[in-house]
Amino acid sequence: NVNQLIQKKDSSHSIIGPDRMHVSKPGYFVMANQFLNSPDIHKKVSNLSIDAEKKKLISQDNCKVENIRATSSSLSFTYLGKSLPFPSPEGINVDSLQAFTDNMNADIIQIKGLKSGAYQLLIDTTIVGLFSNKDFENGINLSKYQKTPQYQQASSILKLFDEYWKTERTLRVMKYVEYSHLASVINKDDMEEVKKVFDSILEKSKTSPNFGFFGNVFKTYLSNKPQEKELVSKLESLHDSIYQINTPVIHDYKIEKVIK
């Protein structure tokens, strides 16, 4: 369906890669989003609503709001989310093909009863942006603002995942090479013997469309096989680090009127 949509504008464009089998980066994102939309799961980061005039919490969904304090020109409270926003990966417009941000990444803050005017939103010591009382009345999706501490925390997790995936891919390529091309080699740590096998395969496949692919995976193997144990250890360490920093923490919210 996505391909049909984008090919109305450009018949040669596709979310599938050049080999018509492996998807592109946007294609992977479309797949992931489809998986997440299939089961009955919680589809918002969080949703909170506060009546500033009455200093009262109206509702909280997937978060915990406490210590609501208000003056004639400001409102503050503590917030603990149960989820973090999804940070857009480099090179991906998450809303170009599907309404991901509003449907799956909504982190809504709604403040009712604010007096007419412009208000500055701070989370901890970070200035997120300047909004009108109407903006707050309608609800603001904070996942669209990359300055929030929550978004920055999620971005740090994504960077660790990027490194995790690169390491995992390297190890997977090495296993593929051993399974597909080195079954006859008893000592796979003998790089000289391994290289002879690779050279023989490349010589026989000079005219094959797989020649470039073989060259790349063989190069990856020769470069990384001596560090295989270290790579496995790195993968485990990255996994542990991801789970050490992925827990949401309490933040201080402050909404204060801007005097002009």
Side-chain angles (χ1 to χ4, degrees):
N1 289 341
V2 170
N3 261 347
Q4 289 177 353
L5 178 67
I6 61 180
Q7 286 167 2
K8 288 180 180 179
K9 298 179 181 179
D10 181 353
S11 61
S12 65
H13 190 54
S14 173
I15 60 169
I16 310 300
D19 62 5
R20 309 300 296 163
M21 180 187 300
H22 296 88
V23 298
S24 61
K25 266 191 173 183
Y28 281 121
F29 186 81
V30 167
M31 289 170 64
N33 189 38
Q34 188 65 30
F35 289 142
L36 290 171
N37 271 288
S38 296
D40 183 20
I41 64 170
H42 199 285
K43 293 189 169 89
K44 284 184 170 58
V45 179
S46 75
N47 194 334
L48 70 91
S49 181
I50 295 175
D51 187 323
E53 189 175 10
K54 296 180 179 179
K55 305 178 187 178
K56 179 182 178 182
L57 176 66
I58 299 173
S59 64
Q60 55 184 352
D61 181 15
N62 210 42
C63 62
K64 187 175 182 180
V65 176
E66 295 182 317
N67 304 319
I68 298 174
R69 302 174 298 277
T71 69
S72 60
S73 60
S74 69
L75 173 74
S76 62
F77 55 91
T78 59
Y79 164 93
L80 175 61
K82 295 182 181 179
S83 301
L84 293 169
F86 180 81
S88 299
E90 185 177 355
I92 297 291
N93 180 348
V94 297
D95 293 313
S96 63
L97 301 173
Q98 298 160 311
F100 175 80
T101 301
D102 290 332
N103 291 342
M104 290 294 300
N105 205 29
D107 189 7
I108 306 298
I109 175 174
Q110 180 188 49
I111 309 296
K112 297 183 177 182
L114 289 173
K115 294 180 180 179
S116 180
Y119 290 82
Q120 182 175 254
L121 170 62
L122 293 94
I123 301 180
D124 300 332
T125 58
T126 301
I127 299 174
V128 176
L130 193 65
F131 307 95
S132 70
N133 61 302
K134 289 293 185 183
D135 291 331
F136 279 109
E137 182 84 20
N138 294 330
I140 299 165
N141 188 352
L142 292 180
S143 70
K144 296 179 179 180
Y145 298 87
Q146 298 184 9
K147 291 182 179 180
T148 69
Q150 297 96 312
Y151 194 101
Q152 291 300 311
Q153 181 183 357
S155 295
S156 297
I157 297 167
L158 181 59
K159 288 179 182 177
L160 286 177
F161 264 121
D162 283 338
E163 189 63 26
Y164 182 92
W165 292 323
K166 288 176 184 176
T167 308
E168 172 67 31
R169 177 175 174 79
T170 298
L171 288 167
R172 188 179 67 171
V173 166
M174 290 163 62
K175 293 303 180 186
Y176 154 76
V177 170
E178 290 181 352
Y179 180 81
S180 299
H181 303 289
L182 297 178
S184 62
V185 179
I186 297 174
N187 182 9
K188 296 176 177 57
D189 291 318
D190 185 347
M191 292 296 101
E192 290 300 320
E193 181 65 22
V194 167
K195 191 173 185 306
K196 288 179 183 178
V197 174
F198 290 167
D199 289 343
S200 175
I201 294 171
L202 290 173
E203 181 64 30
K204 294 175 182 177
S205 60
K206 279 184 176 180
T207 59
S208 167
N210 291 323
F211 179 79
F213 170 73
F214 288 156
N216 287 332
V217 295
F218 293 164
K219 182 179 179 181
T220 296
Y221 189 90
L222 292 170
S223 299
N224 292 281
K225 180 62 178 178
Q227 293 84 39
E228 184 175 15
K229 290 183 179 179
E230 288 82 356
L231 289 171
V232 171
S233 178
K234 179 182 179 181
L235 200 67
E236 294 172 352
S237 177
L238 285 167
H239 182 274
D240 291 342
S241 296
I242 287 167
Y243 277 90
Q244 287 171 3
I245 70 168
N246 74 352
T247 304
V249 299
I250 295 174
H251 295 286
D252 293 314
Y253 280 54
K254 187 173 184 181
I255 299 154
E256 54 185 7
K257 194 170 186 180
V258 177
I259 309 298
K260 293 186 177 180

